[in-house]
Amino acid sequence: SPVLNAENGVLYCLSTGGFGTKEQGTSSTVFCISTEDGSEVWSASIDGASFSSVAFDSEKNLLFASTFWVDKAENKFQNLTFDYADSEGAFYCLDAEGGDIVWEAELDGGSLHNTSPAISNGIVYVTNRNFWFSSQGYIIPAFRSSPLYAFDEEDGSLLWTYQSGENTGFTGSPSISEDKVFICMSYGGYDSGIASTITCLDAESGEEEWVYE
């Protein structure tokens, strides 16, 4: 979804240029568009594919976007063979004025699911979920314990990660309320059913406060 900067009369959106491996040079583009006449104010290329929305901090004038690369290694899951699996990813902070990259960080696994980063009190949070793809037509969640990341908004230093355990994956964007982070997760398999949980974390430390199943 486009993100509006009403004060400056622009909106930001993210478009992917392909779906490939890191060696193939897959990239995405962040666009800044005038809301007055639809003209392009600036655009910036970032490495990797992305199906996510950007996040915008109007106070610091910063944009955040996550990307991933496809890994073509074969994976076995029960009685199915999967040809494609997203692997490593990247997280970018850009200057919203001109699109310059302020900092970037590596992500374990790819942010393939359509989630957006969340920002609060100088911390930016981003979830990470993985899928496996099959030429047989199957697409399933590959719950590989990818973490929730919390980065310092200004310099990109990693503050903490949250990992709930084996075979668990995130199913949406994090939500922030004062000093708490709320995330939805799922676990299970394609033939045994998928169960979901809501987890509450301390926003500053990442410590788990409660889980609703």
Side-chain angles (χ1 to χ4, degrees), residues 58-75:
S58 58
E59 292 184 2
K60 293 183 172 64
N61 210 31
L62 296 174
L63 289 170
F64 299 92
S66 58
T67 63
F68 69 95
W69 291 274
V70 171
D71 177 10
K72 290 189 176 180
E74 184 179 279
N75 293 282

Side-chain angles (χ1 to χ4, degrees), residues 82-99:
F82 290 84
D83 312 300
Y84 299 91
D86 60 334
S87 52
E88 58 187 313
F91 190 52
Y92 292 89
C93 171
L94 296 89
D95 172 31
E97 178 111 8

Side-chain angles (χ1 to χ4, degrees), residues 1-21:
S1 302
V3 174
L4 184 64
N5 180 348
E7 183 177 346
N8 292 333
V10 297
L11 60 83
Y12 309 103
C13 58
L14 180 59
S15 174
T16 191
F19 195 73
T21 65

Side-chain angles (χ1 to χ4, degrees), residues 7-213:
E7 183 177 346
N8 292 333
V10 297
L11 60 83
Y12 309 103
C13 58
L14 180 59
S15 174
T16 191
F19 195 73
T21 65
K22 195 171 187 178
E23 291 72 22
Q24 291 174 314
T26 302
S27 64
S28 298
T29 304
V30 180
F31 292 96
C32 176
I33 306 296
S34 169
T35 57
E36 180 67 26
D37 57 14
S39 61
E40 180 182 308
V41 179
W42 57 259
S43 62
S45 178
I46 54 178
D47 293 335
S50 183
F51 299 148
S52 305
S53 300
V54 298
F56 172 56
D57 186 333
S58 58
E59 292 184 2
K60 293 183 172 64
N61 210 31
L62 296 174
L63 289 170
F64 299 92
S66 58
T67 63
F68 69 95
W69 291 274
V70 171
D71 177 10
K72 290 189 176 180
E74 184 179 279
N75 293 282
K76 297 285 187 180
F77 183 81
Q78 296 179 12
N79 64 328
L80 299 177
T81 299
F82 290 84
D83 312 300
Y84 299 91
D86 60 334
S87 52
E88 58 187 313
F91 190 52
Y92 292 89
C93 171
L94 296 89
D95 172 31
E97 178 111 8
D100 293 332
I101 295 176
V102 178
W103 55 262
E104 60 183 279
E106 295 181 355
L107 300 179
D108 175 25
S111 189
L112 178 56
H113 188 62
N114 296 335
T115 64
S116 301
I119 308 164
S120 179
N121 295 324
I123 302 176
V124 56
Y125 307 87
V126 59
T127 61
N128 215 353
R129 182 184 180 188
N130 300 310
F131 282 84
W132 288 349
F133 296 82
S134 171
S135 56
Q136 300 164 282
Y138 298 99
I139 302 176
I140 66 165
F143 300 136
R144 297 186 297 180
S145 302
S146 297
L148 167 70
Y149 295 85
F151 293 102
D152 183 279
E153 188 180 359
E154 294 191 357
D155 63 17
S157 57
L158 180 61
L159 302 177
W160 53 262
T161 62
Y162 172 77
Q163 217 162 357
S164 62
E166 292 294 327
N167 302 317
T168 303
F170 296 101
T171 56
S173 305
S175 296
I176 316 295
S177 177
E178 297 180 352
D179 59 349
K180 299 182 187 298
V181 181
F182 302 94
I183 48 176
C184 294
M185 293 178 290
S186 292
Y187 57 92
Y190 82 102
D191 62 348
S192 60
I194 296 177
S196 298
T197 64
I198 299 175
T199 301
C200 174
L201 307 174
D202 180 273
E204 187 172 347
S205 67
E207 293 183 6
E208 186 179 288
E209 296 193 356
W210 54 258
V211 177
Y212 174 81
E213 297 183 357

